[in-house]
Amino acid sequence: MQTPKSILLHLDSSARTAQRIKLARELAQTFDAQVTAQPCALSALMLYPFAIEAAAEVVAVMQEVDKTARDRMYQVFMTHSAGSTRLHWAEREPDGPWAFSRRALYADLLILGQRDRDDPMDGELPGDFLPSVLVQSGRPALVLPYAGPIGPIGRNVLVAWKETRESARAVTAALPWLRTAASVHVVAYGEDAQASLQRLQDYLRMQGSQNTTLHPGGDEDGDVGNKLLSLAADLGSDLLVMGCYGHSRAREWVMGGATQSILQGMTLPVLMSH
């Protein structure tokens, strides 16, 4: 895979938006890429649809709330984009967060934030925003945790491997980092783990990634997500690469066990692909 040239950045009013902007700016410089920053917050009328039938004064108040939120996001964007000509603001579209998945179809890489239910601005986004973007867009996404510092990523990478199309897509998306990483660790679980890891190592060597260490992880016992986070901590990894598993059922997003565990408990940036 060539390095990403079109990056779509998720903006909202949460405390971690500044971290996402800073990382987007760094990646744009590293990859000679362009970043589109898209506000994703729900409008006040989406949050309180009954207000549509209220008095004009109430609707005006709702519109002022939206303008205040927009201006706050714009100020954070301008501050942390630091005048970079590679970062571009896009005004919020009428359908808010749902427009992000549509715009994502035209991006090489997404930068998203893990949901923090304790953040006062958590209600700005639909509860299923993150899984719906991951599954609907089919684009690789770099998801940042809501806690802890975010330093340079891609120096010490952990790849969670499984012989599936989702894992293969994630590895392909990660190649720009894997080729330059000081160390790459690859873990797989199950009976065929050693053989599949060897096949992946051969592939990575052909792609220019030479510093690969294999970790057969034993049986896949349903706790893979927590095992991955524990291994990442032990190795000091700054990036986890993995497939994203999930589907829609009865208007609800159902994510795979490991995917759900990672989305809820991630402690480092995760590059995911569905």
Side-chain angles (χ1 to χ4, degrees), residues 6-139:
S6 173
I7 299 174
L8 181 60
L9 170 64
H10 146 220
L11 296 182
D12 55 33
S13 299
S14 67
R16 296 292 279 186
T17 290
Q19 291 283 351
R20 294 197 297 275
I21 298 170
K22 291 176 184 178
L23 180 62
R25 190 181 72 231
E26 293 168 5
L27 293 182
Q29 182 66 35
T30 299
F31 295 139
D32 188 23
Q34 298 293 312
V35 176
T36 299
Q38 175 71 59
C40 298
L42 291 163
S43 69
L45 288 175
M46 288 178 179
L47 288 170
Y48 307 103
F50 62 85
I52 294 176
E53 300 179 359
E57 292 82 359
V58 175
V59 174
V61 169
M62 295 290 187
Q63 292 171 339
E64 185 61 30
V65 168
D66 289 342
K67 182 180 183 302
T68 300
R70 179 266 182 204
D71 291 347
R72 183 169 55 243
M73 282 185 274
Y74 183 74
Q75 184 59 50
V76 172
F77 170 77
M78 293 301 294
T79 299
H80 296 286
S81 60
S84 172
T85 58
R86 299 178 185 276
L87 273 66
H88 311 281
W89 169 270
E91 291 292 348
R92 179 170 57 187
E93 298 189 31
D95 47 352
W98 293 278
F100 191 89
S101 292
R102 182 173 63 250
R103 189 183 285 265
L105 299 175
Y106 304 97
D108 297 322
L109 177 69
L110 315 179
I111 299 180
L112 307 172
Q114 179 195 21
R115 186 174 186 183
D116 179 7
R117 295 181 182 276
D118 292 328
D119 190 292
M121 308 310 295
D122 175 63
E124 279 191 341
L125 293 175
D128 63 351
F129 173 74
L130 184 53
S132 67
V133 170
L134 290 168
V135 175
Q136 286 185 314
S137 73
R139 310 305 286 168

Side-chain angles (χ1 to χ4, degrees), residues 90-209:
E91 291 292 348
R92 179 170 57 187
E93 298 189 31
D95 47 352
W98 293 278
F100 191 89
S101 292
R102 182 173 63 250
R103 189 183 285 265
L105 299 175
Y106 304 97
D108 297 322
L109 177 69
L110 315 179
I111 299 180
L112 307 172
Q114 179 195 21
R115 186 174 186 183
D116 179 7
R117 295 181 182 276
D118 292 328
D119 190 292
M121 308 310 295
D122 175 63
E124 279 191 341
L125 293 175
D128 63 351
F129 173 74
L130 184 53
S132 67
V133 170
L134 290 168
V135 175
Q136 286 185 314
S137 73
R139 310 305 286 168
L142 189 58
V143 186
L144 304 189
Y146 65 70
I150 304 296
I153 66 171
R155 297 176 179 177
N156 183 352
V157 183
L158 174 61
V159 178
W161 178 244
K162 191 174 185 179
E163 289 187 324
T164 64
R165 63 181 183 179
E166 291 85 355
S167 284
R169 288 172 176 168
V171 167
T172 299
L175 285 176
W177 288 279
L178 298 178
R179 290 177 178 135
T180 59
S183 58
V184 176
H185 298 269
V186 186
V187 61
Y189 300 91
E191 296 180 1
D192 193 39
Q194 183 64 51
S196 68
L197 286 173
Q198 188 63 59
R199 288 189 284 268
L200 180 60
Q201 185 179 51
D202 293 342
Y203 170 76
L204 292 177
R205 283 174 178 162
M206 289 187 289
Q207 295 294 330
S209 178

Side-chain angles (χ1 to χ4, degrees), residues 193-248:
Q194 183 64 51
S196 68
L197 286 173
Q198 188 63 59
R199 288 189 284 268
L200 180 60
Q201 185 179 51
D202 293 342
Y203 170 76
L204 292 177
R205 283 174 178 162
M206 289 187 289
Q207 295 294 330
S209 178
Q210 306 297 329
N211 304 313
T212 305
T213 303
L214 307 184
H215 299 268
D219 293 336
E220 185 174 353
D221 60 5
D223 194 27
V224 170
N226 288 323
K227 284 183 176 180
L228 289 173
L229 293 176
S230 178
L231 180 59
D234 292 343
L235 296 171
S237 299
D238 54 36
L239 177 64
L240 172 62
V241 177
M242 62 181 291
C244 171
Y245 304 90
H247 62 277
S248 176

